[in-house]
Amino acid sequence: MNKRELIGNSVLFGGLPAEQLDAIVKIAVEKQFVKGDTIFFEGDPGNGFYMVGEGKVKIFKMSALGKEQILHIFGPGEPFGEVPVFHGQPFPANAEALAKSSLIFFPREKFIALVHDNPSLALNMLAVLSMRLRRFVAQIEDLSLKEVPARLAGYLLYLLEEQRATDSVELEISKGQLASLLGTIPETLSRIFAKMSDEGVIAVDGKKIHILDRAALTAK
C-alpha cells in the first residue's frame, strides 16, 4: 500500500496542494487487521478516524437482542469514523474488518491542528459527510418504505454504478451480510434471489450476479 498515493487520490484529500498532503501523510498511521478483528466498538472514545487502504470494513449496530444491522461497508480509499473528529464524542457504532485490511488512522488532535491551519480540509470533509448523509437517508428510506425485493434491486443497481458495470456485478460481501445490510434475514434474501432468477430478471453465479432485465429490476 502506497500511503501517500492512497491519501492523495481519496475523496477526502484529493486535489490538495502538495504541502498540505505532506502534512497529512506525516500524521497518518498504518494499522493492520485480519478478518473479524474489531476496529472500534460503539462507545469507544472517538480519538481519530480511519481510511481503508486495502480490504473492507463494515460499520454496524447491535440490538439489545443481539441482532446485527449493517449501516455501511467501506472499501479502499473510503474514510470512516470521521464525525467524532469534530464533536469529540464516542464512536456511534461498531467497526469490524470483513477481510484482511490495511487501514490508515488519523489521530484526532493532530488532525484538528491541521484543519485549524488549513480550513480547506474542513470543506473537503463536509462534502464527504454530506454525501454520506444522503446515502444514509436513502438507506433509511429503503428500510422503512420499501419491500425487500425493491431494496435488493436498488442495491444491485447501486453496484452497477459503483463497479462501472453494464450487465453484471460482483457481491463483495456474503449473502448473510447483504441480508443484514438490507434489513432482512438470509432465508428471505435467498427466496428473493430465486424468484428474480425464475422471472428472468437476474442470473446468480456464486457471487457474480448477471443483470438480464435491467428495466424489470428498476421497476421492482
Side-chain angles (χ1 to χ4, degrees), residues 31 33 36-48 50 57-62 68 71 80-81 84 87 89-97 103 105:
K31 297 191 175 187
F33 297 86
D37 275 356
T38 297
I39 299 161
F40 55 74
F41 288 104
E42 179 178 357
D44 282 352
N47 57 352
Y50 295 81
V57 170
K58 71 174 178 179
I59 308 298
F60 66 100
K61 302 270 283 187
M62 295 292 291
E68 177 185 279
L71 304 176
F80 63 95
H87 62 47
Q89 298 297 311
F91 288 113
N94 310 285
E96 180 183 305
L103 307 182
F105 176 69

Side-chain angles (χ1 to χ4, degrees), residues 104-146:
I104 299 175
F105 176 69
F106 301 92
R108 179 177 183 270
E109 291 185 4
K110 292 181 179 179
F111 188 78
I112 288 294
L114 288 182
V115 170
H116 183 270
D117 294 335
N118 305 282
S120 58
L121 289 177
L123 294 178
N124 277 28
M125 291 197 78
L126 285 173
V128 170
L129 291 173
S130 296
M131 179 178 65
R132 188 76 46 79
L133 180 60
R134 286 196 297 271
R135 283 172 55 186
F136 192 65
V137 168
Q139 183 181 8
I140 295 299
E141 183 181 74
D142 285 349
L143 291 175
S144 59
L145 301 178
K146 294 181 180 179

